């Protein structure tokens, strides 16, 4: 019995982690605690050496705390918080409503467009979803929109922030897979815009076929003169676009690294807030406090995941995964790719993207390094495949925000919607948009050039 337990310790470790994640304890504590627990069990069973515990600190410090790539995360979070509190989002939505007032489903389209623009400035899904719900949902319900269409539109638009650069998820995944974050930002832009277009087409078709679900906005909405119109566009639409151009343009142009661009974006957001007179001492204190709490949560997950993955691999987890795939007949490159996509999609029903990334990627990274898709994606260095694969995974992980029962977006919405909107409305509303996300994932798999064209064009994959 002892010999069997020692041989299957890594399998038991993964099972215990899966159970413990449902305990309600903070995920960072669960990951780190399971790692320490099975490190101690490994010592008792002579599968882990006590001195290996001393490797935790240099791995956590050198791999996470002192990682120059991950420095971008706090600044992107800070930038998003500043933009949320400065009132730019409110003015942007009003401007988009005016621009789309003559289109069927114009209000829902304006929400999707706003989610797309804010995705390129914040990258924080929770903040985007809550902000869109508070700002847009009352207007949509007041205009007579179907509840399911309204909440589905808001939920899908809010989740674009995790894919469209600058994306915190891509920073994390780039670090885990040792892929250039700039190349990932370039590769994710078109797939992110593709999803936005799919949402807009769906809303347009549904609104035209069933006008009662999405009544048109009154033509008289908005400014009365051309001068007022241009003032509205100049105040509500141009500043976010300039900030996007400042952040992404500096990366794609090769003028700045993603970390430097994140600092530039944070400074630009502060400047916009100052110009609008929204940056008083109270607001700045709230922004710093909320940014600090969000960063603490993210990096504590990194610490716990680093400890877990080190113990798991030390106990032979890599070999167990390879043997398991071989045992079920999954050994070709396409079979492994499809298996991983299905696994990640199913995990998304229960876990957040960061939990999936920090658990799955370190385990499968050694396997991914040996896959050959040159016939499908074209010849090139191994980084080409890893870039394409990372974007596939990112599109897939975006769906993890929506499906029941534990979709993160659903709970963000439930906490902010009025009592008239129930969880049933939310569940029914997100189904069409999950299907659209899966269509987008299928297109990125079938047409790799759609992902790789921009990073190849700007010379990031040479």
């Amino acid at each position: 019995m002892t010999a069997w337990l020692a041989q299957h310790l890594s399998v038991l470790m993964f099972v215990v982690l899966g159970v413990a994640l449902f305990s309600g304890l903070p995920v960072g504590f669960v990951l780190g605690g399971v790692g320490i627990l099975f490190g101690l069990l490994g010592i008792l069973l002579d599968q882990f050496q006590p001195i290996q515990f001393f490797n935790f600190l240099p791995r956590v410090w050198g791999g996470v705390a002192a990682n120059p790539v991950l420095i971008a995360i706090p600044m992107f979070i800070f930038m998003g918080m500043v933009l949320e509190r400065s009132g730019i989002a409110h003015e942007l939505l009003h401007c988009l409503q005016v621009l789309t007032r003559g289109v069927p489903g114009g209000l829902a389209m304006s929400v999707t467009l706003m989610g797309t623009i804010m995705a390129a400035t914040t990258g924080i899904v929770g903040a985007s979803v809550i902000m869109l719900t508070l700002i847009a949902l009352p207007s949509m319900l007041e205009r007579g929109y179907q509840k399911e269409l309204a909440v589905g539109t808001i939920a899908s638009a809010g989740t674009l922030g995790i894919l469209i650069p600058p994306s915190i998820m891509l920073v994390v995944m780039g670090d885990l897979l040792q892929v250039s974050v700039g190349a990932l930002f370039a590769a994710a832009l078109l797939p992110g815009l593709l999803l936005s277009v799919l949402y807009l087409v769906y809303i347009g078709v549904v609104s035209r076929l069933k006008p009662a679900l999405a009544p048109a906005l009154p033509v008289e909405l908005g400014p009365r003169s051309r001068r007022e119109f241009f003032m509205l566009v100049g105040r509500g639409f141009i500043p976010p676009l300039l900030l996007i151009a400042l952040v992404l343009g500096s990366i794609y142009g090769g003028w700045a690294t993603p970390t430097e661009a994140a600092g530039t974006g944070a400074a630009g957001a502060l400047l916009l807030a100052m110009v609008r007179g929204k940056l008083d001492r109270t607001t700045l204190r709230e922004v710093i406090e909320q940014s600090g709490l969000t960063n603490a949560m993210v990096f504590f997950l990194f610490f716990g995941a680093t400890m877990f993955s080190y113990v798991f691999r030390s106990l032979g987890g890599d070999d167990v995964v390879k043997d398991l795939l071989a045992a079920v007949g999954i050994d070709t490159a396409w079979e492994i790719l499809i298996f991983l996509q299905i696994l990640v999609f199913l995990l998304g029903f229960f876990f957040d993207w960061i939990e999936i990334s920090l658990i799955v990627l370190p385990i499968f990274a050694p396997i991914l390094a040996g896959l050959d898709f040159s016939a499908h994606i074209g010849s090139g260095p191994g980084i080409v495949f890893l870039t394409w694969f990372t974007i596939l995974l990112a599109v897939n992980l975006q769906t993890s925000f929506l499906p029941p029962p534990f979709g993160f977006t659903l709970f963000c919405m439930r906490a902010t919607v009025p009592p008239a909107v129930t969880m049933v409305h939310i569940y029914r509303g997100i189904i069409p948009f999950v299907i659209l996300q899966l269509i987008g994932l299928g297109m990125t798999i079938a047409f790799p050039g759609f992902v790789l064209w921009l990073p190849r064009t700007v010379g990031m994959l040479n």
Side-chain angles (χ1 to χ4, degrees), residues 364-379:
F364 284 94
I367 300 174
L368 295 173
L371 299 183
D372 181 14
F373 280 88
S374 57
H376 184 60
I377 64 177
S379 59

Side-chain angles (χ1 to χ4, degrees), residues 29-167:
F29 282 106
V30 171
L31 287 167
V34 171
I36 293 174
L37 173 63
F38 276 83
L40 295 174
L41 289 176
I43 293 173
L44 294 177
L45 298 173
D46 198 26
Q47 300 294 311
F48 193 83
Q49 300 303 315
I51 197 172
Q52 289 181 271
F53 278 124
F54 288 94
N55 290 331
F56 281 171
L57 186 57
R59 283 176 174 267
V60 167
W61 175 256
V64 180
N67 190 326
V69 175
L70 298 182
I71 295 175
I73 293 177
M75 288 184 284
F76 279 137
I77 291 176
F78 181 79
M79 180 176 70
M81 293 293 180
V82 172
L83 291 173
E84 180 189 355
R85 300 300 177 91
S86 65
I88 293 177
H90 291 77
E91 294 186 3
L92 177 61
L93 179 61
H94 178 62
C95 180
L96 291 172
Q97 287 178 13
V98 172
L99 294 176
T100 59
R101 57 188 170 183
V103 181
L107 181 53
M109 288 186 176
S110 68
V111 171
T112 298
L113 291 172
M114 179 180 175
T116 304
I117 295 173
M118 295 306 294
T121 56
T122 63
I124 307 172
V125 168
S128 297
V129 171
I130 292 173
M131 176 182 62
L132 287 174
T133 303
L134 292 175
I135 297 174
L137 186 59
S139 298
M140 298 178 81
L141 296 180
E142 182 181 346
R143 300 290 182 186
Y145 268 66
Q146 184 198 44
K147 295 175 183 176
E148 287 84 351
L149 179 60
V151 295
T153 299
I154 292 172
S156 61
T159 58
L160 288 171
I162 207 61
L163 178 61
I164 295 178
S167 163

Side-chain angles (χ1 to χ4, degrees), residues 331-337 365-386 388-389:
D331 50 10
T332 68
W334 277 107
E335 289 174 345
I336 293 174
L337 178 69
I367 300 174
L368 295 173
L371 299 183
D372 181 14
F373 280 88
S374 57
H376 184 60
I377 64 177
S379 59
I383 195 67
V384 175
F385 163 71
L386 285 178
W388 176 62
F389 172 80

Side-chain angles (χ1 to χ4, degrees), residues 233-246:
V233 173
R235 181 176 175 83
F237 193 68
I238 300 300
L241 292 185
L242 289 177
L243 188 61
I244 294 170
L246 183 66

Side-chain angles (χ1 to χ4, degrees), residues 395-439:
V395 175
N396 197 340
L397 281 171
Q398 192 193 9
T399 66
S400 69
F401 284 89
L402 294 181
F406 301 114
F408 176 71
T409 299
L410 307 184
F411 292 106
C412 288
M413 292 196 70
R414 190 68 188 98
T416 50
V417 297
V421 179
T422 66
M423 208 65 184
V424 175
H425 292 127
I426 297 175
Y427 282 162
R428 287 204 301 251
I430 58 95
I431 291 175
F433 293 94
V434 172
I435 295 173
L436 292 174
Q437 288 177 334
L438 292 177
I439 292 174

